[in-house]
Amino acid sequence: MSETHTHTQRVAVSEDDEIVLTWAGVTDTGLRRDNNQDAFLAEFPLFVVADGMGGHAGGEIASQSTVTRLKDVVESGTVTTDAIEDALEHAVEDIASHPDTTDEGTGTTLTGVFFDVVDGEPRWVSMNIGDSRVYLLREQRLVQVTTDHSVVQELITSGRLSPEEADGHPYSNVITRAVGASELTPPDYLGIEVQDGDRFVVCSDGLTKELTDYGIQHFLREHDDPAVAVDAMIAAALENGGRDNVTVIVVKIERSGHDAEADATTARVDTIDETSDSSSTSEADAE
């Protein structure tokens, strides 16, 4: 595993309101897989993980094609829900036309967050297709932001299965939505207020198969630096069996000059209004 680096981005929201983002991402093949079908992109303002499926080569084709198209969106300078969905449509076409795509089940999950500004106010937007996950550590409490698109989650939601019974369920790997497996369904989106001290974890199920939510929370509390945190989580996943490819991104937020208690909308996590799609701020300095 190559040396992990923490990256930094400073965003000036206003004269007295600055947001400093630090992040790191790592992917590992694990101990039981021959190749890595996970892919990730961690470049401001977009942080995503894709977990491919469909034959020996198919999953890698799907995840890499999706991440490549999303990287083009980042490089265009305009990251919006519309731009993301357009990129995913192109990714579906790329997957279908690839000469090594022969399995009808070829596809990939996609989950992550992007930084956005709407009417001068910063926010995060989470997105999800499949069963990779976004977690948020806020005020030392870890919550799962995304909802899995899986057979097991549907059984839990309908009350036919308890979360405890979900562990080891024979359909635990069956997802109900993916990029590339069929006609594209747009991701689920949530808008999240930007709060000082927040940390996001974006991960494939190779992590959540080996670490409980409590374990993820533990490593975030123990390691403030994102690079150290992702390395610790990857190491723990491998130590616990490493049954699948595992990918982790950690994003840390520091916000100065902003009174969270005075802002009634701060700390909200809401379904976003897709009609208010806007591009990310351009007032940023990379380090």
Side-chain angles (χ1 to χ4, degrees):
M1 189 163 55
S2 61
E3 185 179 356
T4 307
H5 297 284
T6 293
H7 305 272
T8 302
Q9 187 86 22
R10 298 179 182 274
V11 183
V13 179
S14 64
E15 187 174 328
D16 58 353
D17 186 2
E18 181 183 61
I19 296 170
V20 179
L21 306 178
T22 50
W23 70 88
V26 170
T27 186
D28 193 281
T29 303
L31 302 179
R32 302 192 188 180
R33 303 286 186 178
D34 295 329
N35 66 328
N36 194 344
Q37 299 189 31
D38 283 5
F40 75 94
L41 177 66
E43 295 184 15
F44 178 83
L46 182 62
F47 307 88
V48 294
V49 166
D51 179 357
M53 60 186 183
H56 183 76
E60 190 172 352
I61 292 165
S63 61
Q64 289 289 350
S65 297
T66 300
V67 165
T68 297
R69 285 293 185 176
L70 289 171
K71 184 177 177 65
D72 290 342
V73 173
V74 171
E75 291 176 351
S76 76
T78 305
V79 178
T80 67
T81 56
D82 284 346
I84 286 168
E85 289 174 28
D86 185 60
L88 296 183
E89 292 284 1
H90 286 298
V92 170
E93 295 169 2
D94 294 342
I95 295 164
S97 63
H98 196 286
D100 294 329
T101 301
T102 57
D103 188 278
E104 291 183 358
T106 297
T108 182
T109 69
L110 177 70
T111 198
V113 294
F114 69 90
F115 185 86
D116 192 21
V117 176
V118 178
D119 298 328
E121 287 296 321
R123 69 173 180 180
W124 290 99
V125 178
S126 75
M127 58 183 177
N128 185 57
I129 297 175
D131 64 350
S132 297
R133 293 178 178 174
V134 174
Y135 289 93
L136 171 62
L137 184 75
R138 174 169 285 173
E139 297 177 352
Q140 299 302 308
R141 178 172 175 264
L142 189 77
V143 294
Q144 182 179 332
V145 174
T146 54
T147 299
D148 295 353
H149 299 133
S150 67
V151 170
V152 164
Q153 183 60 51
E154 289 183 356
L155 292 172
I156 292 172
T157 301
S158 67
R160 289 181 286 173
L161 192 70
S162 70
E164 293 73 25
E165 293 170 328
D167 292 335
H169 192 277
Y171 292 158
S172 60
N173 289 329
V174 180
I175 63 175
T176 55
R177 286 169 61 181
V179 179
S182 59
E183 183 177 348
L184 179 68
T185 302
D188 291 341
Y189 298 109
L190 287 174
I192 305 167
E193 298 295 331
V194 179
Q195 184 163 310
D196 180 51
D198 280 356
R199 275 185 282 175
F200 287 103
V201 174
V202 184
C203 63
S204 63
D205 67 349
L207 181 73
T208 53
K209 285 176 182 176
E210 310 296 359
L211 279 184
T212 63
D213 290 5
Y214 177 80
I216 294 170
Q217 178 176 275
H218 165 77
F219 287 111
L220 288 175
R221 288 177 171 177
E222 288 292 309
H223 305 294
D224 189 61
D225 185 284
V228 179
V230 296
D231 281 347
M233 281 187 263
I234 292 283
L238 297 179
E239 184 177 342
N240 290 342
R243 292 168 289 175
D244 200 353
N245 309 143
V246 54
T247 304
V248 186
I249 301 170
V250 171
V251 183
K252 176 185 173 183
I253 298 96
E254 296 175 272
R255 188 172 187 182
S256 60
H258 177 257
D259 187 352
E261 293 184 0
D263 186 349
T265 65
T266 295
R268 284 172 41 186
V269 178
D270 293 318
T271 302
I272 72 167
D273 179 4
E274 294 181 39
T275 62
S276 64
D277 201 1
S278 66
S279 61
S280 296
T281 181
S282 59
E283 294 183 77
D285 299 314
E287 291 184 4

